[in-house]
């Protein structure tokens, strides 16, 4: 007696999509942005659930999932199945056996397939601001006038000349409010 494989084709363009899309004949995570090198940055995880598959007279033949997987980058995936007799009550999602593609869900009239896709994190570089616009960040504590963002460390204060000063030289008076500074390393008079 000859063995015959019966195939039920899954239409990846239909179904329920969560953080994945079907593009260029593949399921892929949604690209959120690109890094400085032009590489795509994708959502962490997503899944696709097939439309309900009516097994018909192939109930006993629906035992394995054949897969043609092409993983780009360092992502991973998992495949689950669920079955139902009436399309109302479904068995819990059960992961397939990846060695031979066998299905653990009980054979029934209806089935669904779920594919979970995961992106693995890798270091990437994003330029938030290159500080080429002078004085873009104007506030009393930051300086961005030299193409870098840095904390201000010099705070010039103008004093008032004390007209009652009778000694040699001149005396200028100013107040330094200590609540504006965490520490004062030095006071320099110019």
């Amino acid at each position: 007696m000859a063995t015959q494989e019966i195939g039920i084709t899954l239409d990846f363009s239909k179904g329920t999509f969560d953080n994945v899309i079907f593009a260029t004949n593949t399921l892929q995570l949604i690209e959120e942005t690109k890094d400085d090198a032009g590489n795509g940055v994708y959502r962490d995880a997503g899944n696709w659930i097939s439309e309900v598959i009516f097994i018909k007279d192939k109930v006993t033949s629906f035992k394995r999932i054949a897969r043609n997987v092409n993983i780009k980058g360092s992502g991973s995936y998992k495949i689950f199945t669920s079955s139902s007799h009436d399309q109302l009550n479904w068995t819990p999602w059960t992961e397939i056996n990846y060695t031979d593609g066998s299905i653990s869900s009980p054979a029934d009239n209806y089935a669904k397939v779920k594919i979970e896709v995961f992106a693995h994190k890798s270091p990437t570089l994003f330029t938030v601001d290159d500080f080429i616009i002078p004085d873009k960040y104007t506030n009393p504590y930051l300086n961005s006038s030299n193409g870098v963002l840095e904390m201000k460390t010099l705070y010039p204060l103008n004093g008032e000349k004390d007209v009652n000063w009778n000694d040699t030289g001149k005396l200028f008076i100013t107040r330094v409010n200590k609540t504006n500074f965490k520490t004062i390393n030095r006071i320099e008079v110019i």
Side-chain angles (χ1 to χ4, degrees):
M1 177 186 239
T3 304
Q4 180 182 359
E5 291 288 328
I6 299 172
I8 298 173
T9 306
L10 296 176
D11 186 354
F12 291 105
S13 67
K14 297 176 183 174
T16 306
F17 298 86
D18 180 26
N19 288 331
V20 295
I21 58 171
F22 182 69
T24 60
N25 270 348
T26 59
L27 280 177
Q28 51 191 280
L29 290 168
I30 293 174
E31 183 176 313
E32 295 203 329
T33 188
K34 293 202 180 287
D35 66 7
D36 286 357
N39 300 319
V41 177
Y42 299 89
R43 302 252 172 108
D44 289 340
N47 68 65
W48 169 81
I49 300 175
S50 70
E51 291 184 318
V52 175
I53 303 164
F54 183 36
I55 305 297
K56 299 180 190 170
D57 55 347
K58 303 173 189 169
V59 171
T60 58
S61 301
F62 190 59
K63 295 179 181 177
R64 283 195 304 277
I65 290 186
R67 54 202 191 282
N68 181 8
V69 178
N70 182 10
I71 297 176
K72 292 186 179 179
S74 59
S76 62
Y77 71 96
K78 291 183 178 181
I79 301 174
F80 300 87
T81 59
S82 178
S83 60
S84 172
H85 179 71
D86 56 8
Q87 294 190 60
L88 296 174
N89 301 304
W90 291 88
T91 62
W93 290 109
T94 307
E95 196 166 0
I96 68 165
N97 180 334
Y98 296 97
T99 307
D100 61 1
S102 61
I103 296 170
S104 300
S105 297
D108 222 324
N109 292 331
Y110 302 96
K112 290 192 290 188
V113 176
K114 176 167 79 168
I115 300 175
E116 293 181 351
V117 183
F118 305 95
H120 288 262
K121 298 185 187 300
S122 60
T124 190
L125 181 65
F126 288 101
T127 301
V128 177
D129 197 330
D130 50 11
F131 307 109
I132 57 175
I133 301 171
D135 297 321
K136 179 178 178 182
Y137 300 97
T138 304
N139 73 44
Y141 309 106
L142 297 176
N143 176 27
S144 65
S145 61
N146 300 324
V148 295
L149 182 64
E150 60 187 0
M151 298 290 292
K152 285 185 181 177
T153 57
L154 300 174
Y155 295 91
L157 300 171
N158 295 323
E160 291 184 23
K161 185 177 179 183
D162 186 351
V163 291
N164 297 326
W165 180 258
N166 293 333
D167 252 337
T168 59
K170 297 176 185 175
L171 177 64
F172 291 87
I173 299 173
T174 188
R175 288 189 176 269
V176 177
N177 189 349
K178 72 176 188 174
T179 60
N180 290 344
F181 302 96
K182 186 173 183 180
T183 61
I184 297 176
N185 293 337
R186 70 176 184 253
I187 296 177
E188 195 174 303
V189 179
I190 300 176

